[in-house]
Amino acid sequence: MFCEEVVGQPEALGLLQRALETGRIAHAYLFAGPDGVGKKTLALCLARALNCLDLDNKPGSFAPCGRCLSCRKIACGNHPDVKVVSPDGVSVRIDQIREIKKEMSYRPYEGRYRVWILEDCDKMTEQAANSTLKVLEEPQERSVFILLTSNVLSLLPTIVSRCQVVRFNPVGAAVISGLLRERYAIPAEKARLLAFLCHGSVGKAVGWATGRIPMPPRDEVIALVGGFLSPLGPGSKPGAILRAAEALEKRKDDLDEILDLLEDWYRDLMIVCEAAHHHETGHGATHEREADELSKALVVNLDKLETLEEQARVCSTERAAKSIGVIEATRQSIRRNANVRLALENMLFTLFPGV
Ligand SMILES: [Zn+2]
């Protein structure tokens, strides 16, 4: 395959590999899929493959060398024929698209292809979207326009239909864990945890592993639940719930991640509660061992099994399952612009009734 950097996207890779092999490069691609699964990495890899100087001497080979002047310029972001365009502030503006349209009428300066990679293309203003449509309607020779989005549903259908759509999927935990161990020398236990916590986003897992992005506030979330679940915890008063909601509201930027962590934790609690229930109802020893092994394979926060077992004593499978629904409903209502504080208070009072 022409790109070794991207993992867990065999369909996207296969589609582009065939395009390179047959020389049938589309004028416009739409890379659609969740954040952190390799869309931009693959787009840059395609740009390198289309312009690598080393490939001139290697018929039948399509993997860019990564060492020639062209590959190095693209990696540094200063190749005159390869441009990455991101939203200017909150949106992609019409003058950014006009600039692309103008440049597209020129021949490549030094490469074989001119490539534009437009990040978050769903954030285009209406005028920018209309201008993009015009660009897509007038394809130019040796020009490739790659639009990236994690929100394909908010694009104009006319834009989608004029691009070759390349779908990206969340990457499986086993693949991510393997990548972290092999490429980043992360110990197995930590690799497993990060692979589960990232929910299919390789970018996030690698960012955490390399320290490029801060680790998610897992201990904080566990302490929050522990505080309220334990009958003797600090949360035995409604005031504590209100203060916790206030503190969470201030973490606006991390809120989605905190809700992910909460959901993971309750999912673990559900599994541990169910396993404990099996023990109580006295199934055979083999059956119990199987249940234990199964729960260990599924539990995300395996390093916190003791805490989970403690909390499971004051929780139940049903309560944990219901809590996951409550957290997800809160996430949805916040996305629909509900009052964040109110939504969080409502969530915490529902998760921890009677405190
Ligand atoms: Zn090269």
Side-chain angles (χ1 to χ4, degrees):
M1 285 289 174
F2 75 102
C3 181
E4 298 287 327
E5 289 160 74
V6 172
V7 295
Q9 305 296 347
E11 285 154 34
L13 265 172
L15 189 147
L16 296 172
Q17 174 79 21
R18 282 191 297 281
L20 288 168
E21 285 171 5
T22 55
R24 297 172 68 162
I25 308 297
H27 291 292
Y29 289 102
L30 176 63
F31 286 10
D35 284 330
V37 294
K39 297 189 297 293
K40 187 177 173 187
T41 308
L42 192 52
L44 283 168
C45 204
L46 180 63
R48 287 205 303 274
L50 290 172
N51 286 308
C52 176
L53 303 171
D54 195 45
L55 290 178
D56 289 341
N57 317 316
K58 287 186 184 164
S61 175
F62 303 95
C65 72
R67 292 178 306 272
C68 71
L69 190 60
S70 168
C71 281
R72 277 185 286 135
K73 277 187 176 177
I74 294 171
C76 298
N78 57 14
H79 194 295
D81 294 318
V82 177
K83 299 256 167 72
V84 178
V85 180
S86 342
D88 176 11
V90 288
S91 41
V92 177
R93 299 178 192 286
I94 186 166
D95 37 318
Q96 294 180 285
I97 304 296
R98 279 193 185 134
E99 184 69 24
I100 293 175
K101 191 164 188 274
K102 193 177 97 197
E103 288 181 7
M104 215 175 250
S105 58
Y106 307 142
R107 296 167 62 81
Y109 288 109
E110 53 179 74
R112 287 188 293 270
Y113 280 87
R114 305 203 66 170
V115 180
W116 287 269
I117 298 166
L118 179 58
E119 294 188 280
D120 294 323
C121 72
D122 47 280
K123 296 197 173 128
M124 282 188 278
T125 62
E126 200 184 326
Q127 294 98 318
N130 287 328
S131 183
T132 300
L133 260 181
K134 292 206 189 85
V135 175
L136 296 173
E137 279 162 1
E138 298 161 16
Q140 303 292 325
E141 278 293 295
R142 296 198 286 152
S143 282
V144 183
F145 196 7
I146 308 175
L147 293 87
L148 314 183
T149 183
S150 56
N151 191 1
V152 72
L153 290 177
S154 63
L155 286 175
L156 287 178
T158 39
I159 288 188
V160 179
S161 68
R162 279 169 178 75
C163 297
Q164 174 153 21
V165 179
V166 183
R167 293 199 184 282
F168 287 67
N169 303 308
V171 182
V175 173
I176 298 179
S177 165
L179 175 86
L180 294 178
R181 278 181 280 123
E182 285 153 28
R183 221 175 277 176
Y184 298 91
I186 302 296
E189 205 172 296
K190 189 175 178 195
R192 178 189 182 278
L193 176 67
L194 298 184
F196 269 119
L197 289 179
C198 75
H199 291 250
S201 166
V202 183
K204 244 188 210 176
V206 170
W208 291 333
T210 55
R212 189 171 46 79
I213 48 178
M215 282 291 292
R218 188 170 65 118
D219 290 337
E220 222 177 290
V221 167
I222 297 172
L224 175 85
V225 178
F228 289 118
L229 265 189
S230 146
L232 302 170
S236 315
K237 299 185 197 84
I241 291 269
L242 297 175
R243 279 195 298 280
E246 188 185 354
L248 280 183
E249 190 200 8
K250 289 187 181 136
R251 310 281 301 270
K252 242 179 234 142
D253 294 339
D254 305 332
L255 202 50
D256 224 25
E257 202 157 74
I258 289 173
L259 295 179
D260 275 346
L261 289 164
L262 259 180
E263 260 182 36
D264 285 339
W265 186 257
Y266 272 103
R267 187 176 159 279
D268 284 355
L269 263 180
M270 187 171 69
I271 296 165
V272 173
C273 283
E274 191 58 20
H277 177 71
H278 264 266
H279 281 284
E280 278 165 22
T281 48
H283 291 275
T286 324
H287 191 95
E288 274 183 18
R289 209 168 38 245
E290 273 172 18
D292 277 349
E293 272 166 25
L294 187 66
S295 60
K296 277 189 186 139
L298 295 173
V299 165
V300 172
N301 300 281
L302 201 53
D303 56 331
K304 305 281 183 189
L305 198 55
E306 249 173 60
T307 314
L308 281 166
E309 281 165 352
E310 265 166 40
Q311 293 187 6
R313 283 188 216 117
V314 287
C315 191
S316 67
T317 312
E318 293 73 26
R319 181 173 170 188
K322 196 177 141 231
S323 300
I324 296 171
V326 171
I327 298 161
E328 199 44 40
T330 305
R331 190 200 306 272
Q332 296 305 333
S333 69
I334 290 174
R335 275 193 194 148
R336 287 194 304 267
N337 292 326
N339 179 321
V340 177
R341 171 84 71 93
L342 212 57
L344 290 170
E345 286 174 0
N346 187 13
M347 175 183 84
L348 293 177
F349 275 116
T350 317
L351 290 182
F352 311 112
V355 295

